[in-house]
Amino acid sequence: MKELSLHILDIAMNSIRADADILEITIDENTDKDLLSIKITDNGCGMDSEMLKTVTDPFISSRTTRKVGLGISLFKANAENCNGSFSIESKLNLGTVVKAQFQLSHIDRPVLGNIASVISMLFSSHPDINIYFGYKKENKYYSIKTQEIKDELNGISIQNPEVKFLIEEIIESELNNMDIKS
């Protein structure tokens, strides 16, 4: 995948398929350490130790619709190819934590991509999941939660297309104020 936002979407969709009702996506951009960190946490069904051992193998998948699962293995390869690291922790019936770190300045690091669109799509497509998104860059921090948005909507559905576009514009504006590059 050529954009980190698509990796985030892939992992988030794994969490949703794992019946998570809480999903946290955090990104930390640290220019002093030359590091971009992504962490995705859920409270889904988790994985047993045998599945956890094989989850980064592209030819192993828990999905029945196809026999390969490239998402996690590509995310891991991208992180490691950019002088970074990748880890996944999971406990059966408790959830999963996926962490990827990239050398921020690495020439091969995928661009962030349209993270505002990915997050707004997740919010509007999965209204029953409590999603938290946070972005930290140096001393600036921005976060947004589905519940905050629903509280402000006064009964208007978060699935309303106009609401989705408004959420995307808000996130995009906040990230632009932090000088976040897609």
Side-chain angles (χ1 to χ4, degrees):
M1 288 183 221
K2 295 183 179 187
E3 296 180 4
L4 294 174
S5 61
L6 297 178
H7 282 297
I8 292 167
L9 176 61
D10 180 65
I11 302 297
M13 295 306 297
N14 289 347
S15 297
I16 291 164
R17 281 190 294 276
D19 295 325
D21 62 1
I22 298 173
L23 176 61
E24 296 181 10
I25 300 165
T26 56
I27 301 172
D28 185 352
E29 184 177 332
N30 188 321
T31 54
D32 289 340
K33 294 183 179 178
D34 195 24
L35 198 62
L36 180 71
S37 302
I38 298 171
K39 181 178 175 184
I40 304 162
T41 305
D42 72 51
N43 70 338
C45 65
M47 292 176 268
D48 62 28
S49 59
E50 289 305 308
M51 183 63 179
L52 190 58
K53 288 178 193 173
T54 61
V55 74
T56 59
D57 183 333
F59 301 105
I60 303 289
S61 177
S62 62
R63 295 180 66 179
T64 56
T65 55
R66 62 179 183 232
K67 296 187 188 284
V68 295
L70 296 174
I72 292 174
S73 60
L74 287 174
F75 195 29
K76 178 180 189 285
N78 271 335
E80 292 173 348
N81 289 337
C82 296
N83 296 332
S85 63
F86 179 88
S87 69
I88 186 165
E89 300 169 15
S90 190
K91 296 220 185 294
L92 199 56
N93 301 317
L94 294 176
T96 302
V97 178
V98 175
K99 296 178 189 173
Q101 292 187 321
F102 300 80
Q103 179 184 352
L104 187 59
S105 64
H106 198 283
I107 192 166
D108 293 327
R109 181 183 57 81
V111 297
L112 180 58
N114 195 343
I115 191 69
S117 179
V118 166
I119 299 301
S120 67
M121 186 277 303
L122 287 169
F123 278 23
S124 62
S125 300
H126 304 284
D128 297 330
I129 298 176
N130 292 313
I131 302 173
Y132 165 88
F133 170 69
Y135 201 111
K136 181 180 179 193
K137 182 176 181 181
E138 311 316 326
N139 60 348
K140 300 175 185 173
Y141 189 76
Y142 171 70
S143 68
I144 188 168
K145 301 175 186 176
T146 49
Q147 192 57 53
E148 292 172 341
I149 294 168
K150 289 194 264 188
D151 291 346
E152 293 295 321
L153 290 174
N154 294 322
I156 299 171
S157 173
I158 197 167
Q159 294 182 297
N160 181 313
E162 291 176 20
V163 171
K164 185 227 179 265
F165 291 120
L166 179 61
I167 294 168
E168 185 175 343
E169 285 179 3
I170 290 168
I171 295 170
E172 199 169 86
S173 173
E174 291 294 331
L175 295 181
N176 284 338
N177 288 339
M178 292 172 62
D179 197 30
I180 305 301
K181 308 275 189 275
S182 296

